[in-house]
Amino acid sequence: MSKFNTHQPVFNLLSEVAQQQQTRAFVIGGYVRDCLLKRDFRKDIDVVVEGSGIDFAKAVAAKIGKDVQVAYFKNFGTAMLKYDGLELEFVGARKESYQRESRKPIVENGTLEEDQARRDFTINALAFELFPLNEDVIDPFGGLQDLENGILRTPLAPDQTYSDDPLRMMRAIRFATQLHFTIEAESLNAISRNRERIKIVSQERIAEELNKIILAEKPSIGFKILFETGLLELIFPEMANLQGVDVVQGKAHKDNFFHTLQVLDNLCQTTNNLWLRWSAILHDIAKPATKKFEPGHGWTFHGHEDKGARMVPEIFRKLKLPLNDKMKYVQKLVLLHLRPIVLSKEEVSDSAVRRLLFEAGEDIDDLMLLCQADITSKNKEKVKRYLANFELVKIKLKEIEEKDRLRYWQPPVSGNDIMVSFGIKPGKEIGLIKAAIREAILDGIIPNEFGAAYAFMVTEGEKLGLVLQRRLETSISDSEPL
Ligand code: ATP
Ligand code: MG
């Protein structure tokens, strides 16, 4: 059996080019690592050549012939092309030295071994040669052993490695999370010692690694290491600030950091949606800011959902996450995250469910997933009881949704209908009447239909002293001119 699937045509191609060019060339990095770990089959192959990566890529492209698209990155000395459904990246072997103020190294041509030494982890430095094609792993730093033992270790001294390029600290934690590997002790200490160096890394790169941690199967692994090494405090202080327990009069509250991580891990079992996962991270973010001890009652966090939602834009801006509808979505989920739970604790009234459905709209299912993940307690009985009530809320939601179709709610009577009917111009009456109709529907006083809403509108208008000028049979759209 071929460890590296070298029977694929691409390897024959690369091997022939290496021979022709008389250049030593190797497959290195993620492809080698993931094949050995038998992880999902990878579609990207990194090739390192002792020579020019760009020239090598040109020769590969020439051999493939027509229709091949090559992207050259002259500044980095790399080139990329697609072949046979795979993404190939070529780079010249190099040795590097770093300046203190930047993660951009001074680069010189080097040998394979010099190149392997500048890689971040021994398990990412594994390589095999393309000509003659040979699946023996070239492993000068003990990466195979580390792969076997599940250890992340730097090829050179960890302090040097992390200080040279502090992004590697984030990468270490990201790989530890994705692969369930342990960061070797000296390395972990070096991350703590060098944590301040993270400041020279661009926020975009930090966010990229953070999102990869969040998309892993169990993101809490990464967040715990970020916290313990002191990196979290630097890159995402609001989250680090969730940690801690206060005790007053013998009463303690939950540690909101570990609670948040548990909610996140729970949620990850039901969704791969990055932004839904972010809403778990942020759902209690305002708990430290709203925390109060009320004598005779205990700890409260009144309004943390509201304040939390208001903190979301600033956090997204600082972390360089997108400031678009994704942010709005997270904001909405943070704002509403208590609502289904409140429902599950009391007698579930139709109108409360209707209101929730109306406010959550198309995100109701995601909100329910978040909320369900938020049911955590050391007391198993309590969790069971809450979950059972929660099921009732879900059933009720479904019933009412089928009956009232509030998920994509549009007012059955439009502002235009009101103006035409009473012969009035835009003004505050229209807003008042629309709000009254909406409330009546949500309270279940009238059904969500044109006929009933129209009759209700007539009465409401009359209360405001308006006189019906023209009776409508069906709604005319808001967009129609008067
Ligand atoms: P994945 O693609 O799953 O994130 P990967 O190992 O392929 O994993 P890449 O970021 O694609 O990671 O990088 C490819 C290879 O380049 C790595 O395996 C590693 O050898 C090297 N590398 C990437 N970034 C760094 C870095 N900051 N410092 C040192 N070596 C790095
Ligand atoms: Mg890669």
Side-chain angles (χ1 to χ4, degrees), residues 38-166:
K38 303 192 171 56
R39 285 184 94 207
D40 292 350
F41 180 66
R42 304 188 57 116
K43 296 269 173 223
D44 60 314
I45 302 179
D46 291 311
V47 177
V48 60
V49 302
E50 289 185 347
S52 157
I54 292 192
D55 290 349
F56 196 92
K58 280 187 185 153
V60 173
K63 206 166 187 75
I64 298 172
K66 59 177 168 37
D67 291 345
V68 62
Q69 297 273 335
V70 197
Y72 298 103
F73 305 95
K74 292 240 162 61
N75 292 345
F76 299 99
T78 64
M80 213 161 84
L81 63 82
K82 292 207 166 106
Y83 174 73
D84 197 21
L86 298 161
E87 224 170 68
L88 310 180
E89 190 167 335
F90 301 89
V91 60
R94 48 201 190 178
K95 56 180 177 204
E96 290 173 349
S97 55
Y98 286 81
Q99 295 157 302
R100 185 99 191 129
E101 291 318 312
S102 153
R103 27 181 314 263
K104 303 221 167 45
I106 301 164
V107 181
E108 292 169 73
N109 293 341
T111 61
L112 172 71
E113 182 148 345
E114 283 164 337
D115 190 280
Q116 285 172 301
R118 66 151 197 106
R119 302 262 158 181
D120 48 4
F121 305 105
T122 61
I123 62 163
N124 286 347
L126 300 170
F128 67 89
E129 181 145 23
L130 282 162
F131 183 78
L133 186 60
N134 180 349
E135 292 203 352
D136 290 345
V137 179
I138 306 166
D139 176 24
F141 299 104
L144 282 173
Q145 192 64 50
D146 289 340
L147 206 58
E148 180 108 340
N149 297 335
I151 286 177
L152 287 157
R153 184 194 313 277
T154 57
L156 303 179
D159 277 304
Q160 186 70 42
T161 303
Y162 293 121
S163 173
D164 280 350
D165 177 0

Side-chain angles (χ1 to χ4, degrees), residues 206-392:
I206 295 176
E208 201 181 306
E209 295 300 326
L210 206 53
N211 282 340
K212 285 186 179 174
I213 292 173
I214 296 167
L215 283 172
E217 189 191 353
K218 197 176 173 201
S220 64
I221 299 175
F223 279 107
K224 283 179 188 163
I225 310 175
L226 284 170
F227 181 74
E228 285 156 12
T229 53
L231 272 171
L232 194 64
E233 172 80 55
L234 298 172
I235 63 169
F236 190 2
E238 295 85 354
M239 187 175 185
N241 202 22
L242 288 172
Q243 196 273 332
V245 177
D246 282 340
V247 185
V248 173
Q249 295 172 3
K251 284 199 177 178
H253 60 76
K254 278 191 210 181
D255 183 308
N256 289 309
F257 178 65
F258 293 103
H259 164 70
T260 293
L261 292 185
Q262 201 186 333
V263 176
L264 178 59
D265 284 352
N266 286 347
L267 185 66
C268 290
Q269 302 195 355
T270 59
T271 181
N272 293 322
N273 175 344
L274 176 66
W275 305 108
L276 184 49
R277 290 179 175 204
W278 264 107
S279 74
I281 295 170
L282 294 172
H283 80 288
D284 277 347
I285 202 73
K287 274 199 167 172
T290 54
K291 178 162 75 180
K292 270 207 185 75
F293 186 80
E294 295 178 3
H297 185 65
W299 291 100
T300 63
F301 305 91
H302 290 309
H304 75 272
E305 70 285 17
D306 193 57
K307 188 166 175 68
R310 279 186 279 121
M311 286 167 73
V312 169
E314 178 63 6
I315 291 175
F316 266 54
R317 193 188 60 75
K318 279 202 295 190
L319 293 176
K320 289 251 161 69
L321 296 171
L323 294 170
N324 54 16
D325 53 329
K326 306 292 181 222
M327 189 268 285
K328 292 248 160 64
Y329 163 88
V330 172
Q331 214 177 6
K332 176 173 172 186
L333 292 176
V334 172
L335 180 67
L336 296 177
H337 83 268
L338 292 176
R339 296 280 293 279
I341 278 295
V342 172
L343 282 185
S344 74
K345 283 181 187 163
E346 54 193 40
E347 194 58 38
V348 190
S349 77
D350 282 14
S351 92
V353 172
R354 241 184 253 116
R355 277 179 190 280
L356 178 61
L357 209 48
F358 172 70
E359 282 172 57
E362 60 183 339
D363 300 317
I364 185 70
D365 296 334
D366 291 353
L367 178 65
M368 293 301 280
L369 289 179
L370 170 63
C371 223
Q372 183 151 1
D374 195 13
I375 301 177
T376 72
S377 163
K378 294 220 163 55
N379 181 338
K380 286 218 170 69
E381 276 308 304
K382 219 166 155 182
V383 171
K384 230 161 104 185
R385 205 167 60 235
Y386 281 172
L387 284 176
N389 279 347
F390 200 72
E391 284 308 310
L392 290 181

